[in-house]
C-alpha cells in the first residue's frame, strides 16, 4: 500500500514539475536562461510506446503491459501499449510511434530482422530504444540502449536439467505456436539440458485439440514421463490429458497463472519457469526515464536478465498471490 | 434541341445520379469520414511521417484487395491469398539464402510457383464445379502445412532470414522495398506498387474486353458462356491474378523485412475480402470496383494506424476497427441500394 501511495506522490510531483516546465517554457525570455551552467535535462511531454509481438488478450503479455503501465504511473510517464503478432504489422506500429515522436520506445523482437529497419529508423530519429523479451543477440547491433529479457535457450536448458534431476527419462516438449522461433529455442534448450526431447505441435487457439493431442502422445508412448509445456494454459490441458489416461508423466511449464499455481500446490505440475515478464514491462520504463533525466545506461550493452525463476512447491505459496494480482 | 423525346437509355443522366451508381462512392465517402475523424482526434495523423505510416499499412493490403476484388466480381473467392503472401516469400528466401540463388532468379522462381498455384486453384474450381470457397480452403491448408514443413526441413527453424546478404538483394530491394523521399518524409515504394496495381486493374476492368468478361462471368456464367465469353479462361486468369498479387506482396515483404516466418499471412485473406467488400464488391459477384477495393484498403490502413495515433487503449482496438468497418459497409450498402434505384 505504501509503495502505491508514494507512487501517487511521485506522480503528483512529476506532474507539477511538468506543469511548471510547461509554464516557463514558452515564456522563456529571461536572457539568463540557457547559460552553459544548466544541466541539459530535457523537459516537456515524455511519452513511451511499448510495442510487443503478443496477440491481443494474451495472458503473458497482459502482465508485461501491467508492468509497463505501473511503472508509467509511478514515474508520471504516459505509457502506450500496442501489439501485433505479425512482424510486418509490428514494424508499422513502430513506424507509427516514430511518426508520433515518442520520447522512448520499448520493442519485443520475436523476428529481429523484420523490425530492424523500423528500429534503426527510430534510433536515427533520436528516440532511445529498449528491446525486451526476445532478440537479445541483435539488440545492441540495432542501436538499442539495452535489452531486458531472458534467454529462451538458457531457460529451456534449465527446465530440461531440472527434469533430469527429478529422475525423468523421456521428455515431450509441446509447441503451441507453430511459427514461433522463441518456442523452438526453448525446446532446443530443453533437449540440451535433458539429453533429448520429442516435440509435439498443438494449436493454442483450440484447447480441446491441445488436450487430445497430448493425450494421444502420452498414450502411444507410455515411456514419456515428462511433459514440458511452454504456456500456462497448455500446462492445464496437459495435466488434464495425463489424468485422463492415468499416465505417470509429470508436467512442467513456462509461465505462471492461477491454474498453474494451484497445480504446483497440488503436485500436478512439478515446476514452472517464470521469466518474470512484469520486469520486462516495468524496467524499460525506468531505464528510459533514467536515460532521459540522467543519461544513465544499464548493463553497458549487456542484456538485463529477468529470469528464469523456477517456481516449485517450496516457493509457490508466496508467489501465488502475485499471480492473482496480475504482476507475476 | 428538338422536340422529339429522347429514349431514356441514351438520355443524359444527372451528375449526382451518375456518381451514385459508382460502386466505390460509398467507400470514398467512408474514407473521407475516417480521414476527417482521425485528422481531428490525432495530432500526428496528418504529419508527413503519419501519412507515410498509414499509406504504408494500406499499400500491401490494397494490392491484395484489388486483385481479390477482380476475383470477387468474377464470382469467386480465394482463401489461400493470405498464406500465398508467405509462401512466395518463403520460396524466394529459401532459394536465395539456402540454395544461394541470385535474388532475382529466386523471385522469378517464386513467381512461377505462385502462378502455378493460382492456375491450379482456377483449374480445379472449373474442372470440379466445386465452390471456390472449398477448393481454395484446401490450398490454404495445404500451403500452410508446406510453409511450416518445408521451412523446418530446410532451415531447422521456423523462419528464414539473412536476405540482406544474398546476391542481388540491393537491386531487387530497390525495386520492391526502397523508400521515396518526398519533402523529407520517406514513403515506402509499396505505396507506388499499390497505386499502379489499382490503376492497371481499374483500366482492365472498365476499359477492356477482359473487364467485360469479368463482370459477365460473375453476373451469370451460364448466359456469358452462351454469348461466347471464355468463362474458364477468364476465371483461371483471375485466380492467377490473385496469386500474382500474393507474389508481389510476398516479395515486398521479404525484401523489406529480410526475413519471413512460416506462420505469416494466415488470416489476412479475410482482411482482403473485407477491404474489397468495403470498396463496393458484392459477395455474390458481378458488381464491384478495383478502385473501390483500393479505397477500402485505405480505410483499413487509416483506421488501424489512426487508432494508434489517437492513443486509445489497444484492448479496444478490434472493437473500434469492427465498428468502423461496419459503418463503412452500411454507408456503402445504402448507396448501392440508391444506385440500383437510379439504374432502374
Amino acid at each position: 500500500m505504501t509503495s502505491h501511495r508514494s507512487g501517487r506522490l511521485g506522480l503528483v510531483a512529476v506532474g507539477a514539475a511538468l506543469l511548471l516546465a510547461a509554464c516557463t517554457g514558452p515564456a522563456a525570455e529571461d536572457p539568463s536562461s540557457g547559460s552553459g551552467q544548466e544541466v541539459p535535462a530535457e523537459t516537456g511531454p515524455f511519452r513511451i510506446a511499448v510495442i510487443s509481438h503478443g496477440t491481443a488478450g494474451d495472458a503473458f503479455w497482459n502482465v508485461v503491459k501491467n508492468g509497463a503501465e505501473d511503472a508509467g504511473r509511478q514515474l508520471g510517464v504516459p505509457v502506450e501499449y500496442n501489439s501485433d503478432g505479425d512482424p510486418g504489422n509490428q514494424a508499422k506500429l513502430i513506424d507509427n510511434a516514430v511518426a508520433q515522436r515518442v520520447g522512448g520506445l520499448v520493442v519485443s523482437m520475436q523476428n529481429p530482422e523484420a523490425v530492424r529497419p523500423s528500429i534503426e529508423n527510430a534510433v536515427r530519429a533520436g528516440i532511445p530504444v529498449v528491446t525486451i523479451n526476445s532478440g537479445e543477440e541483435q539488440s545492441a547491433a540495432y542501436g538499442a540502449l539495452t535489452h531486458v529479457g531472458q534467454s529462451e535457450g538458457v531457460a529451456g536448458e534449465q527446465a530440461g536439467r531440472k527434469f533430469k534431476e527429478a529422475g525423468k527419462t523421456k521428455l515431450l516438449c509441446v509447441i503451441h505456436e507453430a511459427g514461433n522461433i522463441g518456442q523452438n529455442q526453448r525446446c532446443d534448450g530443453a533437449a540440451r539440458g535433458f539429453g533429448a526431447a520429442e516435440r509435439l505441435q498443438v494449436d493454442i487457439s483450440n484447447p480441446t485439440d491441445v488436450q487430445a493431442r497430448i493425450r494421444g502422445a502420452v498414450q502411444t508412448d507410455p515411456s514419456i514421463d515428462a511433459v514440458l509445456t511452454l504456456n500456462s494454459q497448455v500446462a492445464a490441458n496437459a495435466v488434464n490429458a495425463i489424468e485422463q489416461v492415468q499416465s505417470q508423466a509429470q508436467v512442467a511449464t513456462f509461465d505462471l497463472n492461477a491454474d498453474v499455481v494451484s497445480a504446483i500446490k497440488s503436485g500436478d505440475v512439478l515446476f514452472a519457469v517464470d521469466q518474470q515478464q512484469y520486469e520486462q514491462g516495468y524496467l524499460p520504463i525506468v531505464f528510459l526515464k533514467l536515460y532521459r533525466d540522467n543519461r544513465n545506461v544499464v548493463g553497458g550493452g549487456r542484456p538485463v536478465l529477468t529470469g528464469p525463476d523456477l517456481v516449485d512447491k517450496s516457493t509457490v505459496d508466496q508467489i501465488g498471490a502475485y499471480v492473482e494480482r496480475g504482476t507475476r | 434541341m428538338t422536340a422529339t423525346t429522347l429514349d431514356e437509355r441514351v438520355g443524359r443522366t444527372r451528375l449526382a445520379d451518375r456518381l451514385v451508381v459508382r460502386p466505390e462512392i460509398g467507400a470514398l465517402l467512408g474514407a473521407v469520414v475516417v480521414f476527417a475523424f482521425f485528422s481531428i482526434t490525432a495530432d500526428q495523423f496528418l504529419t508527413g511521417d503519419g501519412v507515410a505510416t498509414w499509406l504504408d499499412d494500406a499499400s500491401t493490403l490494397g494490392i491484395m484487395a484489388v486483385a481479390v476484388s477482380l476475383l470477387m466480381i468474377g464470382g469467386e473467392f480465394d482463401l489461400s491469398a493470405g498464406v500465398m503472401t508467405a509462401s512466395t516469400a518463403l520460396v524466394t528466401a529459401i532459394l536465395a539464402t539456402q540454395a544461394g540463388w541470385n535474388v532475382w532468379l529466386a523471385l522469378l522462381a517464386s513467381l512461377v510457383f505462385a502462378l502455378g498455384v493460382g492456375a491450379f486453384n482456377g483449374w480445379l474450381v472449373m474442372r470440379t464445379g466445386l465452390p471456390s470457397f472449398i477448393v481454395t480452403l484446401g490450398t490454404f491448408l495445404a500451403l500452410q502445412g508446406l510453409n511450416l514443413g518445408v521451412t523446418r526441413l530446410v532451415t531447422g527453424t521456423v523462419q528464414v532470414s539473412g536476405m540482406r546478404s544474398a546476391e542481388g538483394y540491393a537491386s531487387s530491394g530497390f525495386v520492391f522495398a526502397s523508400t521515396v523521399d518526398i519533402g523529407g518524409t520517406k514513403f515506402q515504394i509499396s505505396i507506388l506498387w499499390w497505386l499502379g496495381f489499382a490503376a492497371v486493374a481499374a483500366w482492365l476492368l472498365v476499359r477492356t474486353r477482359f473487364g467485360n468478361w469479368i463482370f459477365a462471368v460473375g453476373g451469370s456464367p451460364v448466359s456469358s458462356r452462351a454469348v461466347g465469353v471464355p468463362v474458364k479462361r477468364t476465371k483461371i486468369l483471375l485466380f492467377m491474378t490473385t496469386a500474382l498479387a500474393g507474389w508481389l506482396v510476398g516479395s515486398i515483404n521479404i525484401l523489406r523485412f529480410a526475413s519471413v516466418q512460416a506462420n505469416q499471412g494466415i488470416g489476412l485473406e479475410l482482411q482482403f475480402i473485407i477491404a474489397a467488400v468495403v470498396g463496393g464488391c458484392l459477395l455474390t459477384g458481378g458488381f464491384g470496383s478495383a478502385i473501390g477495393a483500393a479505397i477500402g484498403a485505405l480505410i483499413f490502413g487509416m483506421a488501424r494506424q489512426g487508432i494508434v495515433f489517437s492513443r486509445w487503449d489497444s484492448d479496444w482496438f478490434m472493437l473500434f476497427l469492427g465498428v468502423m468497418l461496419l459503418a463503412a459497409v452500411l454507408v456503402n450498402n445504402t448507396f448501392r441500394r440508391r444506385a440500383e434505384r437510379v439504374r432502374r
Side-chain angles (χ1 to χ4, degrees), chain B:
Chain B
M1 277 296 183
T2 54
T4 53
T5 40
L6 281 166
D7 188 316
E8 46 117 22
R9 281 171 300 180
V10 294
R12 291 182 57 146
T13 45
R14 285 185 302 134
L15 179 68
D17 285 348
R18 255 184 307 165
L19 271 181
V20 99
V21 296
R22 303 291 317 155
E24 59 271 70
I25 190 71
L28 192 62
L29 274 177
V32 169
V33 169
V34 171
F35 176 82
F37 179 75
F38 285 115
S39 302
I40 294 165
T41 57
D43 302 335
Q44 289 93 353
F45 190 74
L46 277 185
T47 59
D49 280 351
V51 174
T53 308
W54 48 261
L55 279 182
D56 176 30
D57 193 357
S59 63
T60 46
L61 175 62
I63 291 169
M64 292 308 294
V66 165
V68 165
S69 75
L70 294 188
L71 184 68
M72 277 174 73
I73 296 169
E76 304 289 345
F77 283 103
D78 187 355
L79 294 185
S80 67
V83 170
M84 183 63 91
T85 61
S87 295
T88 49
L90 280 167
V91 171
T92 308
I94 287 176
L95 289 178
T97 62
Q98 307 292 315
W101 289 27
N102 184 296
V103 176
W104 284 107
L105 211 58
L107 283 171
L108 194 69
S110 65
L111 175 62
V112 172
F113 165 78
L115 292 177
V117 174
F120 174 77
N121 272 339
W123 172 79
L124 205 60
V125 167
M126 294 322 291
R127 183 66 199 257
T128 59
L130 287 169
S132 53
F133 194 87
I134 299 297
V135 170
T136 56
L137 187 63
T139 28
F140 162 66
L141 296 172
L143 284 177
Q144 197 181 329
L146 265 182
N147 286 358
L148 189 59
V150 171
T151 309
R152 267 204 78 92
L153 206 67
V154 175
T155 65
T157 173
V158 290
Q159 67 183 31
V160 188
S161 51
M163 277 302 280
R164 286 199 180 83
S165 48
E167 190 193 334
Y169 173 78
S171 56
S172 55
F174 179 76
V175 173
F176 289 104
S178 55
T179 52
V180 180
D181 205 308
I182 300 173
T185 308
K186 289 196 171 85
F187 289 88
Q188 292 290 334
I189 202 156
S190 55
I191 299 167
L192 276 182
W193 280 104
W194 169 42
L195 298 178
F197 201 80
V200 170
W203 171 78
L204 200 71
L205 199 56
V206 296
R207 285 273 179 271
T208 68
R209 194 167 57 155
F210 185 65
N212 273 335
W213 290 351
I214 297 176
F215 279 108
V217 298
S220 169
V222 180
S223 23
S224 49
R225 190 174 283 123
V227 296
V229 174
V231 175
K232 210 183 250 183
R233 201 199 326 162
T234 306
K235 290 208 174 183
I236 291 178
L237 279 173
L238 284 177
F239 276 107
M240 289 172 77
T241 309
T242 323
L244 171 76
W247 170 80
L248 180 55
V249 170
S251 304
I252 289 171
N253 281 345
I254 185 63
L255 290 167
R256 173 157 170 209
F257 302 121
S259 76
V260 54
Q261 241 164 274
N263 62 347
Q264 220 161 287
I266 297 167
L268 291 185
E269 60 281 340
L270 266 186
Q271 297 187 5
F272 307 153
I273 293 173
I274 291 169
V277 171
V278 167
C281 286
L282 280 187
L283 286 163
T284 47
F287 185 83
S289 133
I291 296 291
I295 299 174
L298 180 67
I299 294 180
F300 219 105
M302 286 196 295
R304 195 151 52 181
Q305 298 298 325
I307 286 168
V308 181
F309 277 121
S310 297
R311 294 177 214 163
W312 290 330
D313 190 327
S314 58
D315 288 355
W316 301 95
F317 193 92
M318 283 297 174
L319 175 68
F320 287 123
L321 207 57
V323 169
M324 201 85 71
L325 286 175
L326 267 184
V329 176
L330 284 177
V331 169
N332 218 348
N333 220 23
T334 318
F335 268 90
R336 189 178 305 129
R337 227 170 286 140
R338 272 207 57 191
E340 276 158 11
R341 229 178 12 235
V342 168
R343 214 186 285 161
R344 237 180 278 135

